[in-house]
Amino acid sequence: MRRLRLERRLSQRQLASRGVSYAYISRIESGQRSPSVHAIRLLARRLGVTPEYLETGVDIAPVEELELRLTDAELRLRLGDHSADARHALQAVLKEAQRAGESEIAVRAQIALGLSSLAAGTQREAARYLATAVASPLTSPGTHANVFISFSKALRFLGRADEAAKMLEDALDDLGSQTPEAAGVGLRLATYLSYALTDLGQFERARSVLEDIDAGVALDPHRQVTIHWSLARLAYMEGQPRAALREIRRAIIVLDHTEDSLELARAHLFAAEVHLWAGNVPEAERHLALAARLESLAADARDLGALHSCQALAHARRGDCERARGLIERAREELADAPAEQGLLWLAQGLIEATRDDLDAAPRSFEQAIDALAASGMHREAAAVCREWSQLLRDVGRSEEAAETAKRAAQLIENADAKVAGQMR
């Protein structure tokens, strides 16, 4: 108050008015008295500022100040800052908004917290925040498609693909109008619905969802990529690796002519994983070199975990145990919330142990790999691990264990074929 008074070249007597004496002003300026709300309003009017500015030094209302803090936090998120400090700032905004009854600011904070948690690899926290945001009447599939998609990613990561599929089906039903904008949103939602259905082994439904998309929508390059990517993933889960590679190559060709470096790196990562399972390490390494850009892009923990898992397996197959071991540790941290995603990690671990003749530890690692792969619906890959472990056992003369493991591989293949046949019916 003293600074403002002097800037306006007013004495304490000149600033005084009825109800606010110069003596009262003197005591306020000397810190001997706290002004009443009435005095603040009178003095602010005479000094030409808002009451909020006179009281706090900030010339905005509390709700505007809260929104400004949220906007700053959202900007940090867009710039890739997913640190604990950034999330603490968002949590503080959320608490204050809830206390003040500012539901719109609270929902925005929950969305930001959910997206940041997802990118940081804390999937359970992401699902908690995004579930609240999706349930709010202030969000809808048409205006917040990314929130629904991100929520589906978190749910799938946590092994809750059934919940993801139900949520996305409801979102598509709510979308309604088939304007060009709605058609584009519908394509994105349908793509992630196909992913969830594929996770559940419902391949025919997943393909049906993709076929129901308006063919005209796919003319846009990014939407072409979306369809090729979805068909690649579906073909791979159906046990058609060649068809999967054909579709992902088409996606890569289109992406090479766009500026979407993140999606291009993800496409190369997918191709690398297919080649790794086919035993084509040199080709997998070529794609992994291109996928390594994920580390410098805005990739989330799941992408990075998948990248480091594939790199670890490639090194393990090359016999480079030390480099493989370091990558395993990194990937294990990134995939801590998703044990079903750790099949490649356990396979790489088992290969390292087998290479070092640690045949007491290796069985556990191979078992973990088989269980993780089967839990995520990758029965053919689980069978491939069984066959590889069976061969290693045979090589060291443990023929009975090798035969039992080979039988298990055959059973897994039979289960996979039965699942696909069931979906076809």
Side-chain angles (χ1 to χ4, degrees):
M1 190 171 75
R2 183 172 185 276
R3 176 179 60 79
L4 291 170
R5 179 176 63 75
L6 294 175
E7 283 176 358
R8 286 150 180 75
R9 299 181 180 179
L10 296 172
S11 67
Q12 291 177 343
R13 287 186 181 274
Q14 288 171 318
L15 180 59
S17 63
R18 181 178 295 178
V20 182
S21 68
Y22 78 89
Y24 184 50
I25 291 171
S26 177
R27 285 195 294 273
I28 292 171
E29 289 188 2
S30 64
Q32 297 174 23
R33 185 72 181 268
S34 295
S36 65
V37 173
H38 175 69
I40 287 174
R41 288 175 179 167
L42 284 173
L43 290 166
R45 188 160 54 244
R46 291 183 65 79
L47 289 167
V49 296
T50 64
E52 289 80 18
Y53 182 79
L54 187 57
E55 186 174 12
T56 66
V58 180
D59 197 15
I60 55 174
V63 65
E64 293 171 329
E65 187 267 341
L66 194 58
E67 185 162 3
L68 182 61
R69 285 167 54 199
L70 175 58
T71 301
D72 287 342
E74 289 172 330
L75 178 59
R76 289 177 69 177
L77 173 61
R78 285 195 294 274
L79 293 175
D81 183 357
H82 305 294
S83 63
D85 180 59
R87 290 202 297 281
H88 287 156
L90 283 167
Q91 287 165 347
V93 169
L94 175 59
K95 286 180 182 177
E96 290 181 40
Q98 289 173 329
R99 199 159 44 235
E102 294 293 336
S103 55
E104 186 174 345
I105 292 177
V107 168
R108 280 176 56 193
Q110 285 161 339
I111 290 171
L113 278 163
L115 298 179
S116 184
S117 299
L118 187 66
T122 52
Q123 313 297 331
R124 295 184 195 283
E125 192 172 314
R128 179 166 58 85
Y129 285 120
L130 293 174
T132 305
V134 164
S136 169
L138 297 172
T139 60
S140 71
T143 58
H144 297 84
N146 191 46
V147 177
F148 287 79
I149 288 169
S150 296
F151 186 31
S152 77
K153 288 180 181 179
L155 289 173
R156 288 175 50 231
F157 198 97
L158 295 170
R160 294 157 60 185
D162 52 341
E163 295 176 50
K166 177 65 168 63
M167 183 269 296
L168 290 168
E169 286 173 336
D170 291 344
L172 282 166
D173 288 342
D174 291 343
L175 192 59
S177 171
Q178 285 304 303
T179 62
E181 293 78 10
V185 171
L187 170 62
R188 295 180 65 205
L189 294 172
T191 298
Y192 283 90
L193 172 57
S194 76
Y195 293 168
L197 293 171
T198 302
D199 288 349
L200 294 169
Q202 299 180 18
F203 304 129
E204 197 63 25
R205 281 187 67 197
R207 191 173 294 280
S208 175
V209 166
L210 295 173
E211 289 173 352
D212 285 344
I213 297 170
D214 182 4
V217 174
L219 295 176
D220 175 85
H222 289 284
R223 291 167 184 169
Q224 287 182 36
V225 168
T226 299
I227 290 176
H228 289 313
W229 185 283
S230 303
L231 290 172
R233 191 174 185 278
L234 182 57
Y236 185 69
M237 294 299 289
E238 289 177 319
Q240 302 177 48
R242 289 185 181 178
L245 285 171
R246 183 171 62 249
E247 291 294 342
I248 207 63
R249 284 192 198 106
R250 289 171 178 168
I252 288 171
I253 289 169
V254 178
L255 283 165
D256 272 330
H257 293 85
T258 72
E259 296 181 356
D260 197 338
S261 301
L262 180 59
E263 283 304 305
L264 180 58
R266 283 172 172 159
H268 281 296
L269 177 58
F270 179 89
E273 185 171 350
V274 176
H275 282 298
L276 275 175
W277 283 115
N280 190 347
V281 176
E283 191 64 16
E285 288 176 330
R286 185 179 73 80
H287 284 288
L288 283 173
L290 296 165
R293 290 192 64 195
L294 286 167
E295 293 186 322
S296 61
L297 299 169
D300 60 25
R302 186 174 189 172
D303 287 332
L304 293 173
L307 171 66
H308 297 140
S309 297
C310 288
Q311 289 173 332
L313 182 55
H315 286 304
R317 291 203 182 285
R318 288 285 193 191
D320 189 347
C321 296
E322 289 309 311
R323 292 184 69 182
R325 195 186 301 279
L327 288 161
I328 287 170
E329 292 307 312
R330 290 179 66 182
R332 195 155 281 153
E333 289 181 12
E334 290 154 346
L335 300 174
D337 280 342
E341 301 278 337
Q342 296 182 26
L344 285 174
L345 288 180
W346 286 112
L347 174 56
Q349 181 74 36
L351 289 173
I352 291 171
E353 290 159 350
T355 300
R356 296 187 170 186
D357 295 327
D358 187 356
L359 294 182
D360 291 325
R364 176 178 174 276
S365 295
F366 280 105
E367 284 290 341
Q368 292 274 20
I370 293 162
D371 290 344
L373 291 164
S376 60
M378 300 176 70
H379 297 284
R380 289 184 175 81
E381 289 76 8
V385 174
C386 283
R387 287 194 294 269
E388 190 161 4
W389 177 228
S390 176
Q391 185 59 52
L392 288 168
L393 289 169
R394 194 172 289 110
D395 291 344
V396 296
R398 294 162 64 167
S399 55
E400 289 187 12
E401 292 176 63
E404 287 299 317
T405 307
K407 285 181 184 177
R408 188 175 177 187
Q411 185 61 55
L412 284 164
I413 288 291
E414 187 177 322
N415 292 345
D417 290 341
K419 196 167 189 177
V420 173
Q423 292 300 323
M424 293 293 287
R425 289 197 293 271

